[in-house]
Amino acid sequence: MAARAGLPLIEEICFLSVSPAGWMAPNTRLIDDFIQALGSAWLDEICLKIQQNKEDTSMKKMCYIVSGIALALASAAHAQTAQGWLNQKTMTGNWGGGRLRLENAGITFNGGYVGDFADAAAGGVRTGYGMASQFYGNAKLDTDKLFALPGGTITIGFNQRVGRSTTADYVGNKLSVQEAYGAGETLRLTELSYEQIFPGNFVDAKIGFYPMGNDFASTPLGCDFENVGFCAHPQNLPASTSGWADNPQARWGGRVKLMPAKDIYVETGVYEANPTYTDTGNGLKVSTSGGTGAVFPVEFGYTPSLGGLPGHYKVGAYWDTSNAADVTNSHEIDHGRYGFYALVDQMIMSFDGTSKRGLIAFGQVSYSDPQTSVFQGTWLGALIALGPFASRPADYANIGYVRAVVNQRKLDREEAAGLTDLSTGEGILEAGYGIQATPWLLVHPNVQYVMDPGTFSYKHIKNAWVFGLETKLTF
């Protein structure tokens, strides 16, 4: 063990954490060495070396954090065979039976990690790479089991983001090439809510402190891509200076969802508009100071099974009562702002006669108030193949294009000031393959081509090639 003590071992583990080959063919000797390395003296040596390395990059720092978590879990992993550990549903397992006992009592824990490496290999402002990561976790309390109140769920959740933005540092575009970057890179309280499903399942009500995007304009399937333009929500909604907020940014509010049929719903709500929650250092803020108004969303949804093939169709809109400056004149104040969207994902063919493996078409269009939003809207089209090979039923392959449209009124103003040949929108083409290496580990290599990255800065920046590697762990 002496030849592999300290930092060299942790760096080898770091390499495996971003190497699909390393995870698909695990090095059991390394796992054994890892266990033997446990001990306060060894950990102290690692911490000392990290502190002494003042030029450490954010990617290395994140690698140390991930490896530190692995250290904490190593003894549990070694208690069973390496193969058993790799085949269990979550990385941390059943906690010696404790997790299942808690679930039976009404307390369920969920958590994970998302690591987004992105290398701007050509074009953009300059070349370079960065690593952005997030750790998240929540606890759900079943009020029926705990308090004999059927249909209720209390949720408490947190999120910690760290790292660097390849978009900001190298590419210069609007839609982040790393979906895990943003929202202040700080520890955040992401949810403190109570949800109640009433008898008959016709009414579902929720109230508390949480992102309104958890319930409105959401397509989780889009997070099979690394670029944030595809991930979960139309990005002009929160980026249009409106009070709209998506994960991990929480707001006080609530909604009521009516389900007149099993495949039809309508929901509406009211949420606080408060831009101060976004500020770095305000991740644990829950006071309403700094509020500017209220956001009123409404959404209609249809979730059919067409010939046994599932789909989700959503249309929605919102009104924000806040005042906002006009995009062409900051001294002109507009009263209220709005937006709307349409989202669809539909499996169009099955590979094996079931809904678990098949080809899904995914699309969206969105629009924000032209008086107050520089980021006018988006449109998107994508294909996702779930389980493209019978031997790899949990993998996926995807390709998609998303366009972020800039406000024409703002462009006209910039061109009147002397700028020429400005682009009307930024385009992202992404293709990738998701490798479900274990039930709790996904490795997702991808490539992104960023078109007109200088659109929203009104600059002429070369189109960029970005190579990404996204890693997801389920704790």
Side-chain angles (χ1 to χ4, degrees):
M1 188 63 206
R4 295 164 55 81
L7 206 56
L9 174 58
I10 203 168
E11 287 181 343
E12 185 173 351
I13 294 164
C14 288
F15 172 77
L16 286 180
S17 72
V18 296
S19 168
W23 280 104
M24 294 179 73
N27 186 334
T28 55
R29 179 182 57 81
L30 177 60
I31 293 175
D32 290 337
D33 288 350
F34 199 12
I35 304 306
Q36 295 173 23
L38 286 173
S40 59
W42 188 73
L43 292 175
D44 288 344
E45 181 184 353
I46 293 173
C47 293
L48 178 62
K49 290 187 178 183
I50 292 173
Q51 291 171 1
Q52 291 174 342
N53 187 358
K54 299 184 182 299
E55 297 182 355
D56 197 11
T57 66
S58 61
M59 184 172 66
K60 283 187 176 180
K61 290 177 182 177
M62 276 314 311
C63 204
Y64 299 151
I65 292 172
V66 174
S67 298
I69 291 175
L71 275 171
L73 301 173
S75 59
H78 199 254
Q80 53 185 307
T81 66
Q83 192 62 40
W85 180 53
L86 295 174
N87 287 336
Q88 63 190 19
K89 292 182 179 180
T90 61
M91 182 177 179
T92 61
N94 195 27
W95 309 342
R99 192 172 201 162
L100 181 58
R101 286 193 295 270
L102 286 169
E103 290 179 2
N104 291 336
I107 304 174
T108 301
F109 289 94
N110 300 288
Y113 163 81
V114 179
D116 287 340
F117 173 80
D119 182 5
V125 177
R126 58 191 177 122
T127 60
Y129 58 85
M131 181 77 179
S133 299
Q134 71 172 355
F135 299 88
Y136 62 90
N138 65 59
K140 292 184 177 292
L141 282 62
D142 185 331
T143 61
D144 186 14
K145 293 180 179 179
L146 292 170
F147 313 117
L149 178 61
T153 303
I154 299 171
T155 302
I156 305 171
F158 292 88
N159 180 292
Q160 171 71 65
R161 288 186 170 182
V162 294
R164 298 291 303 183
S165 168
T166 300
T167 279
D169 293 343
Y170 302 105
V171 183
N173 66 313
K174 181 70 171 178
L175 297 175
S176 175
V177 296
Q178 300 150 292
E179 60 96 354
Y181 186 86
E185 314 318 298
T186 191
L187 175 66
R188 291 192 177 278
L189 173 65
T190 54
E191 187 159 355
L192 179 59
S193 70
Y194 176 71
E195 181 177 8
Q196 178 67 51
I197 300 176
F198 292 90
N201 296 324
F202 177 71
V203 179
D204 181 343
K206 186 175 182 180
I207 190 170
F209 187 72
Y210 66 98
M212 62 181 291
N214 287 5
D215 292 315
F216 293 88
S218 176
T219 305
L221 192 67
C223 290
D224 283 349
F225 292 83
E226 184 171 346
N227 191 288
V228 75
F230 299 92
C231 185
H233 311 278
Q235 292 302 302
N236 62 302
L237 301 182
S240 61
T241 67
S242 74
W244 189 286
D246 291 327
N247 187 66
Q249 301 176 61
R251 302 287 190 272
W252 288 107
R255 57 102 175 119
V256 175
K257 185 176 185 178
L258 304 179
M259 295 167 283
K262 66 177 182 179
D263 57 357
I264 297 174
Y265 70 86
V266 57
E267 61 180 346
T268 187
V270 57
Y271 298 87
E272 177 191 14
N274 191 332
T276 66
Y277 288 125
T278 306
D279 297 342
T280 300
N282 279 356
L284 301 179
K285 176 182 176 179
V286 293
S287 74
T288 58
S289 62
T292 60
V295 184
F296 297 88
V298 61
E299 180 175 293
F300 300 88
Y302 177 48
T303 57
S305 178
L306 305 178
L309 303 178
H312 304 85
Y313 299 78
K314 305 175 181 181
V315 294
Y318 72 87
W319 171 256
D320 179 357
T321 65
S322 305
N323 294 335
D326 191 271
V327 295
T328 60
N329 184 354
S330 61
H331 299 292
E332 180 180 337
I333 302 301
D334 294 298
H335 303 288
R337 44 200 175 178
Y338 66 90
F340 57 82
Y341 57 88
L343 312 173
V344 58
D345 64 86
Q346 175 66 58
M347 182 172 283
I348 56 178
M349 66 175 293
S350 171
F351 298 145
D352 61 359
T354 73
S355 60
K356 294 182 179 181
R357 295 181 55 234
L359 184 64
I360 296 175
F362 166 38
Q364 78 178 31
V365 60
S366 59
Y367 184 84
S368 292
D369 183 1
Q371 299 300 118
T372 62
S373 177
V374 174
F375 192 168
Q376 184 76 78
T378 66
W379 57 268
L380 177 157
L383 292 173
I384 304 173
L386 300 180
F389 306 108
S391 60
R392 303 290 307 170
D395 288 358
Y396 68 84
N398 58 15
I399 186 169
Y401 175 82
V402 60
R403 184 171 179 81
V405 180
V406 70
N407 192 320
Q408 187 61 49
R409 295 178 63 239
K410 180 65 173 175
L411 284 181
D412 292 343
R413 180 65 179 265
E414 296 297 328
E415 290 179 341
L419 299 179
T420 59
D421 298 324
L422 296 180
S423 170
T424 60
E426 168 185 314
I428 305 290
L429 178 65
E430 178 177 333
Y433 189 89
I435 305 165
Q436 196 70 54
T438 78
W440 46 265
L441 171 65
L442 175 74
V443 181
H444 171 218
N446 61 86
V447 59
Q448 303 175 42
Y449 185 58
V450 183
M451 291 161 270
D452 297 313
T455 295
F456 286 85
S457 57
Y458 316 110
K459 299 176 181 179
H460 298 288
I461 300 175
K462 293 181 181 179
N463 293 353
W465 285 98
V466 179
F467 295 91
L469 182 64
E470 186 170 50
T471 304
K472 295 183 178 181
L473 301 173
T474 302
F475 296 156

